[in-house]
Amino acid sequence: MWRPLTPRWRKLVLVVHVVSSLGWLGITMVNAVLTFTSVFTDDARRQHAAILMMEQIGGYLLLPVSLTALVSGIVLGVGTKWGLIRYKWVAIKLVLTLIAAGLTLFSLLPGIRELAAAAESTMDGVFVEAGRRVDGFYPIIVSTTMYVTMTVLSVYKPGGKTPYGRRVAATRLRDRQPA
């Protein structure tokens, strides 16, 4: 039988979710600045430092922060009236978070590690050509768009209930009425 989170636990999980989600966005913004530096600096040593800092920050923080946001969001969905797929906005957030976490794990982190390895193996004073490409901004643009979309969904809660959510509500209403 489903049991909702107590108010104390709900607030604790909500704080963890908000902090980890903001952390995920913050790491992305830091990577945006470092990517900008890598692409546009005139100093190869500065470019190497920016790339290596991307690995230090993103390499260690992105996975645990993204998984914390995902797991805490699931706990909130399961432990509150919103559910995971009862409301459209929650279902969309879940899908976006799964996609973002998957892209982080299988695309972004390997790309950052590969770029850092290139910086480590490139002589001082020589630019890392892969670090000069503007397509390094694509993951930042995509992830920031996803995070902002999820934030807007959380604030405005658009779309109402899913078909599943309407069935659950109808069943609960029918079970409460006397025979």
Side-chain angles (χ1 to χ4, degrees), residues 14-126:
L14 183 60
V15 166
V16 169
H17 184 66
V18 169
V19 169
S20 60
S21 297
L22 288 172
W24 202 358
L25 177 60
I27 293 165
T28 301
M29 292 296 97
V30 168
N31 277 345
V33 170
L34 293 171
T35 300
F36 187 88
T37 301
S38 174
V39 171
F40 295 111
T41 187
D42 291 331
D43 181 351
R45 290 181 315 152
R46 180 170 287 177
Q47 183 208 36
H48 290 211
I51 291 169
L52 294 174
M53 285 309 300
M54 269 190 264
E55 182 189 35
Q56 288 297 301
I57 294 167
Y60 291 107
L61 294 175
L62 271 172
L63 188 59
V65 168
S66 64
L67 292 178
T68 301
L70 174 63
V71 170
S72 61
I74 290 170
V75 170
L76 283 170
V78 171
T80 65
K81 69 177 183 175
W82 300 111
L84 286 177
I85 55 173
R86 282 187 213 143
Y87 289 85
K88 291 176 185 173
W89 69 273
V90 178
I92 293 168
K93 276 188 65 176
L94 175 61
V95 169
L96 288 175
T97 305
L98 287 168
I99 291 169
L103 288 173
T104 296
L105 180 60
F106 298 112
S107 180
L108 184 60
L109 287 175
I112 288 173
R113 289 186 183 113
E114 185 178 309
L115 192 58
E120 289 173 345
S121 66
T122 302
M123 290 188 307
D124 281 345
V126 177

